Amino acid sequence: DTEVTQTPKHLVMGMTNKKSLKCEQHMGHRAMYWYKQKAKKPPELMFVYSYEKLSINESVPSRFSPECPNSSLLNLHLHALQPEDSALYLCASSQERPGADTQYFGPGTRLTVL
Amino acid sequence: AQSVTQPDIHITVSEGASLELRCNYSYGATPYLFWYVQSPGQGLQLLLKYFSGDTLVQGIKGFEAEFKRSQSSFNLRKPSVHWSDAAEYFCAVVPNTGTASKLTFGTGTRLQVTL
């Protein structure tokens, strides 16, 4: 089973709202990732968690706050977003083997910021 | 500079025709290589990957890819395209440096299939 689930599928929020995106995997993977994808562009890495610790933050604005409560779950907390943050947010997971590692992606959350 | 390039932004093929999507990379050592497919509004699905060994790799949905070290290429092929193959295709690489995997994507190729 190579399934990564993400909720919600769609989210519309105002610039003053606080919301969260959720990602879950039950493959025993120890690395989890958040990507942002704008229309007609490839995904851009935002954060990487390795063994439940934040290992990479690609200079993401603080209005995005990741959290990894356990090895199966990854959250992305959103606060005071801007309209330009509207995008598809993808979660991925992998076994965390240096180099020869394969990332499996979830279906994404389509975020619209009004 | 390290990079992965997909020269074709958009390709149109007829259903039943063969397909080849190009991917070139520029890295000091051969990276680990992947092809992903993305249907509109969906997540990315892994088609196939190359780490080492046989340079012709078989994937899901009838796709295959051939690694050519001399050309720094990892082109994706399918002998007979189906209308359901219409999607965005991304080539991606992870440097073979022994550090934690950081996936770098090409810009993507949009495949349109005509009936």
Side-chain angles (χ1 to χ4, degrees):
Chain A
D1 183 12
T2 55
E3 188 178 27
V4 176
T5 60
Q6 290 188 243
T7 54
K9 290 179 68 69
H10 301 276
L11 178 63
V12 179
M13 61 185 291
M15 289 190 286
T16 59
N17 292 158
K18 285 186 181 181
K19 297 287 185 182
S20 297
L21 310 184
K22 178 180 173 181
C23 173
E24 200 160 5
Q25 58 88 14
H26 295 287
M27 296 178 278
H29 288 174
R30 303 317 299 264
M32 296 187 76
Y33 310 75
W34 280 116
Y35 289 83
K36 174 182 178 180
Q37 185 179 26
K38 301 286 279 186
K40 301 187 188 302
K41 297 289 188 182
E44 296 177 348
L45 183 65
M46 300 174 71
F47 302 104
V48 180
Y49 272 82
S50 176
Y51 292 88
E52 301 168 41
K53 287 185 170 27
L54 183 65
S55 62
I56 296 176
N57 177 343
E58 292 287 276
S59 301
V60 179
S62 60
R63 57 186 183 269
F64 295 91
S65 176
E67 178 196 19
C68 189
N70 58 59
S71 59
S72 300
L73 193 56
L74 183 67
N75 297 321
L76 186 63
H77 302 298
L78 313 173
H79 173 55
L81 295 193
Q82 303 297 311
E84 59 264 30
D85 297 321
S86 298
L88 182 68
Y89 287 84
L90 295 164
C91 174
S93 70
S94 71
Q95 288 183 314
E96 181 58 308
R97 290 186 296 174
D101 200 19
T102 301
Q103 293 184 30
Y104 296 93
F105 286 79
T109 294
R110 173 72 60 190
L111 174 67
T112 302
V113 182
L114 302 176
Chain B
Q2 296 181 331
S3 66
V4 55
T5 303
Q6 294 180 248
D8 304 305
I9 296 173
H10 187 204
I11 284 182
T12 300
V13 300
S14 300
E15 189 175 39
S18 63
L19 172 69
E20 183 169 28
L21 302 182
R22 295 183 291 163
C23 175
N24 294 94
Y25 61 89
S26 175
Y27 282 77
T30 300
Y32 302 109
L33 299 157
F34 305 82
W35 275 100
Y36 288 88
V37 61
Q38 185 177 33
S39 297
Q42 302 297 313
L44 277 71
Q45 183 179 23
L46 178 69
L47 286 175
L48 46 77
K49 60 188 177 184
Y50 175 77
F51 290 166
S52 65
D54 192 346
T55 57
L56 187 61
V57 181
Q58 300 297 320
I60 62 171
K61 304 186 178 191
F63 285 93
E64 66 178 26
E66 185 171 14
F67 167 66
K68 292 186 177 180
R69 185 188 305 276
S70 61
Q71 299 178 19
S72 297
S73 69
F74 188 55
N75 294 348
L76 182 71
R77 301 195 295 246
K78 187 169 185 178
S80 178
V81 170
H82 188 263
W83 64 267
S84 60
D85 293 324
E88 187 85 21
Y89 290 80
F90 292 100
C91 180
V93 305
V94 171
N96 184 358
T97 58
T99 58
S101 56
K102 193 169 175 179
L103 200 57
T104 299
F105 290 91
T107 49
T109 297
R110 177 162 297 277
L111 174 65
Q112 184 176 357
V113 180
T114 58
L115 300 176

